[in-house]
Amino acid sequence: MFAQREFRAVFLAGSLSWVGDYVAKAAVTLLVFQQTRSVALSAAAFAVSFLPWLLGGPVLAALAERYAYRRVMVACDLIRMALMLVIAIPSLPYQAVLVLIFAATLANPPSQAAKSALIPQLLTGDRLVLGLSLNSSVGQAAQVVGYVFGAAVAAIDPEVALLFNAATFGFSALLVRFGVRHRPPVMNPAHRSHLLRETREGFGIVFRTPVLRAIAVLVFSAMLFSIVPEGLAAAWANDESRGAVSAGTAQAAIMVANPVGFILGGLLVSRLFGPARRLKLMRPLAVLAPLMLVPVLFDPPPLVVALLAALCGFAVAGMMPMANGLFVQALPNGFRARAFGVMATGVQVIQGFAVLVTGVLAERFPIPIVVGVWSAAGVVLMAVASLRWPDRQTVDDAIAAASLANADPPPSRPDGPASDGTVGDTSDSHAGDGHRRHAVT
């Protein structure tokens, strides 16, 4: 896999920008809390990076199909580098920081969609499966490194952490520009319809196909509660009543716990159990994930909170690979980038919503009570989603329909996905596939 020179460049570029992103999240969250001493504003600083997905994620992801993927990735990296340099200006008001963070993250949807669609052009067969799996694991590892490094550096000087993030975007742009050869856009002008129509077709293929819809609901439900300890970590760790460990250590421990658990869960569950057993475990693990966070109701020390968050991440990782695999098998190739936009948007919006709401609630109620009750509600939600999971025949039919659609040559005019989830006449069908980190890539 790594013998493929272009994949090496894309892999390293993505790893660098991921580390930089999480360093910046830790730094900005702490920077805003230091300026305002407000839990809600600190949570808003964490959640604002998810907002662009709500306002236009699927459209921006669909836009990436219209241009060369290399060009999209390089342009997005340069834009984010420039904006991070501005955010790093000392004594910048927190209002300006929030606006600039929002502007920088507008480049995330097209960049991630382009990468998602480019990787299957670089790897095929089992190498593609391995590449996607490795990409997901490294994304989680980058989150751990970024949060630890970001929390440590931000405690000394948040601006230095932001300059580091800008540098990672610069190196990423160089790696992609000189390490990946130019390819023409998969969707040429003759295949285009209307950007909003193309975006709508992406929503249609996900939510009109029962199996894809069930996976989306399960993934979105998992994201609704598993992100909360990370988003509230700065305020939680800086609670003046906690003196057993330093605030920086507590923040780093809470922020990295979920991704560490995710890495361990993904490795152990995939190694210990075969596909049939993993499929049976998927729904019990979905319910177990929020259940792991309910004990924070008893206000344990930060390191115990981190352990519970790690167990939550472990359970989420146990169910996610099977969900990802089913999503890929039931998805026609011609909708891969747009389906990525839909799923990534849902994940980002759900995570941002969860952090914002719990942050506001934490202004009025103790953080342990907020997180514990929120997680208990998550147990109920996951139980309902698990009970409504489609039967095996429905899953097999969806996979067969996708395989049949993938075997047919792309037609000449777009009619979009049929209501049963199969693909109709789609002139904008393209060969690009891909699929992603916390959700489906």
Side-chain angles (χ1 to χ4, degrees):
M1 183 178 62
F2 282 108
Q4 220 286 2
R5 173 177 173 270
E6 292 179 288
F7 178 75
R8 289 201 307 268
V10 172
F11 178 82
L12 182 56
S15 301
L16 277 173
S17 59
W18 265 335
V19 170
D21 263 346
Y22 293 118
V23 167
K25 274 190 177 183
V28 168
T29 303
L30 183 58
L31 185 67
V32 172
F33 185 77
Q34 287 175 343
Q35 284 192 24
T36 65
R37 310 306 295 181
S38 167
V39 179
L41 288 174
S42 175
F46 185 90
V48 74
S49 61
F50 302 114
L51 192 57
W53 292 94
L54 172 64
L55 299 182
V59 177
L60 292 169
L63 184 66
E65 292 185 344
R66 295 186 166 202
Y67 302 96
Y69 295 139
R70 184 184 74 171
R71 179 182 176 187
V72 171
M73 294 169 69
V74 171
C76 290
D77 277 342
L78 293 177
I79 290 169
R80 290 181 289 188
M81 180 188 72
L83 289 172
M84 284 297 163
L85 288 173
V86 177
I87 297 172
I89 295 175
S91 302
L92 198 67
Y94 76 89
Q95 297 92 335
V97 170
L98 295 178
V99 171
L100 290 168
I101 283 290
F102 169 75
T105 52
L106 282 173
N108 288 353
S111 176
Q112 293 182 24
K115 178 184 175 183
S116 172
L118 176 63
I119 290 178
Q121 296 184 352
L122 308 179
L123 302 174
T124 56
D126 289 338
R127 289 183 179 182
L128 174 59
V129 176
L130 179 59
L132 294 174
S133 176
L134 182 61
N135 211 42
S136 177
S137 296
V138 168
Q140 296 296 325
Q143 189 171 0
V144 175
V145 173
Y147 279 156
V148 171
F149 182 71
V153 175
I156 302 170
D157 190 344
E159 286 80 12
V160 172
L162 293 168
L163 289 173
F164 174 83
N165 189 25
T168 62
F169 284 131
F171 282 118
S172 176
L174 289 173
L175 285 167
V176 174
R177 174 62 182 81
F178 296 106
V180 177
R181 68 178 177 84
H182 173 75
R183 292 173 174 80
V186 177
M187 183 188 294
N188 61 48
H191 288 166
R192 297 176 185 173
S193 56
H194 187 283
L195 187 60
L196 292 179
R197 179 179 183 175
E198 294 162 9
T199 304
R200 187 173 66 249
E201 290 169 355
F203 277 96
I205 197 67
V206 172
F207 291 106
R208 291 177 184 172
T209 307
V211 172
L212 298 182
R213 182 173 63 244
I215 294 171
V217 170
L218 199 67
V219 169
F220 294 161
S221 299
M223 297 303 105
L224 188 62
F225 56 83
S226 60
I227 190 67
V228 171
E230 294 176 39
L232 302 183
W236 211 337
N238 281 274
D239 188 327
E240 293 181 0
S241 65
R242 301 177 183 276
V245 295
S246 68
T249 300
Q251 180 185 352
I254 294 172
M255 295 189 87
V256 306
N258 189 273
V260 166
F262 193 97
I263 294 169
L264 294 175
L267 290 173
L268 292 178
V269 173
S270 62
R271 290 289 183 181
L272 295 176
F273 304 106
R277 181 60 60 86
R278 290 201 301 269
L279 183 60
K280 291 180 180 179
L281 287 173
M282 187 167 66
R283 284 180 286 176
L285 286 172
V287 178
L288 189 63
L291 188 61
M292 291 295 96
L293 292 175
V294 174
V296 301
L297 276 168
F298 301 104
D299 193 15
L303 295 183
V304 175
V305 173
L307 175 61
L308 295 172
L311 292 173
C312 172
F314 187 99
V316 171
M319 73 166 191
M320 199 64 75
M322 183 56 68
N324 284 351
L326 289 176
F327 194 92
V328 171
Q329 294 177 66
L331 178 66
N333 288 341
F335 290 85
R336 195 61 58 86
R338 279 170 286 174
F340 166 83
V342 172
M343 292 299 296
T345 296
V347 167
Q348 302 293 333
V349 170
I350 287 292
Q351 289 181 326
F353 170 81
V355 173
L356 275 176
V357 171
T358 53
V360 171
L361 290 173
E363 289 281 297
R364 297 178 57 87
F365 306 100
I367 293 178
I369 298 296
V370 172
V371 178
V373 172
W374 186 266
S375 301
V379 174
V380 176
L381 180 62
M382 287 302 246
V384 172
S386 298
L387 290 173
R388 295 180 63 85
W389 186 259
D391 59 41
R392 183 68 196 182
Q393 185 60 50
T394 303
V395 173
D396 291 341
D397 290 346
I399 293 172
S403 298
L404 182 63
N406 293 340
D408 292 335
S412 58
R413 297 200 54 82
D415 290 333
S419 60
D420 62 356
T422 59
V423 178
D425 205 1
T426 55
S427 71
D428 55 349
S429 292
H430 60 286
D433 321 82
H435 143 106
R436 140 56 225 167
R437 182 180 95 83
H438 258 121
V440 214
T441 40

